[in-house]
Amino acid sequence: ETTVPFPPQAEQRRIVAKLDTLTARLARARAELDRVPVLAERLRINVLRAAFGRGEAELPVGWLMKRIDEIGDVQLGRQRSPKDHDGPHMRPYVRSANITWKGWDLSDVKEMNFSPAEFETFQLRPGDVLLNEGSGSAKEVGKPAIWKGEIEGTCFQNTLLRVRPVGYSPELLRYAFLYLALSGKFIANTKGVNIIHIGKAGLAKTMLPVPPVDAQAGLLATFDAAFARADRMEAEAARARALVDRLEATILGRAFRGELVPQDPNDEPASVLLDRIRAQRAAAPKTKRGRRPKAG
């Protein structure tokens, strides 16, 4: 019962040819726009590699190569236990599900009991850098975030590792961990089969370039600017992708309103074509439907 616009057959061919040309261009545009997130990620990794991907012999003057446990205190979070689901010292805690590549997602923060002694060990302070200790996906291992005191009195679970840096900018350390995660350096020496773990000992012995304190602010500004540029690239590509989708809908709309290609008064009218189709159907022999044989 659905009705559709029915142009003359010659015009139909012109519409299809025009749509083929335009949709091919749209497909090429989408393919180019789909490359932008890859290019943006490459930009991020390259700018980080220039600082954190060097060997000890390649370090600039004044830089040192140190183990992470020489940069700050390394601590694995506390394990969950059914006995701690209730108690007199309930505290909020963060876990791997709360860390994203863009930072914290604190929309679902759980609680468990931490004794005063445990709270002293596992409480978070502004400037702590945490990272995802393990995951079933290699791409998720090592995601970092900086704790800035978002929720007072918060602790952390053993799906996270915490580094409390000394003499190393937390923001810069987060970028260093981001490089190790994005480049696959974290998982190169990890253990585990179904779940890949960094481990407290594995993180503690990881070597990291350490820039002089007076050079860290400038380095941080360089990273911030490069990441902002990459974010803009992705945002503009997403907007352009939405425009391409809208353009495709507009083109199809124009095609079925008779506005996409020139109309030719010499074309055989669609009504004549329909009359011929009806006549051909009326003249065609009727197909008889036979009964199915009964099953024996």
Side-chain angles (χ1 to χ4, degrees), residues 155-195:
C155 299
F156 67 110
Q157 189 200 358
N158 68 337
T159 54
L160 298 177
L161 286 158
R162 180 191 69 195
V163 179
R164 186 166 287 164
V166 177
Y168 204 116
S169 161
E171 290 79 9
L172 198 61
L173 186 59
R174 176 190 167 273
Y175 274 126
F177 287 162
L178 194 59
Y179 168 70
L180 295 175
L182 292 175
S183 64
K185 302 288 186 182
F186 266 141
I187 64 172
N189 300 312
T190 52
K191 55 185 178 180
V193 181
N194 296 324
I195 303 294

Side-chain angles (χ1 to χ4, degrees), residues 70-146:
E70 295 177 299
I71 294 170
D73 177 66
V74 179
Q75 177 66 52
L76 180 66
R78 208 199 72 180
Q79 186 171 359
R80 286 182 59 198
S81 172
K83 68 180 179 62
D84 295 312
H85 290 174
D86 296 291
H89 305 289
M90 299 298 288
R91 297 277 185 179
Y93 70 92
V94 290
R95 62 201 195 283
S96 60
N98 297 121
I99 291 186
T100 75
W101 288 109
K102 298 294 186 180
W104 293 104
D105 175 4
L106 301 176
S107 59
D108 180 23
V109 175
K110 301 185 181 299
E111 291 189 348
M112 63 178 166
N113 189 66
F114 287 83
S115 69
E118 290 171 329
F119 179 65
E120 186 63 28
T121 300
F122 298 108
Q123 66 172 314
L124 295 178
R125 298 175 185 167
D128 286 345
V129 184
L130 294 98
L131 61 149
N132 189 359
E133 189 274 336
S135 175
S137 170
K139 294 182 178 180
E140 297 296 304
V141 177
K143 283 188 299 187
I146 303 172

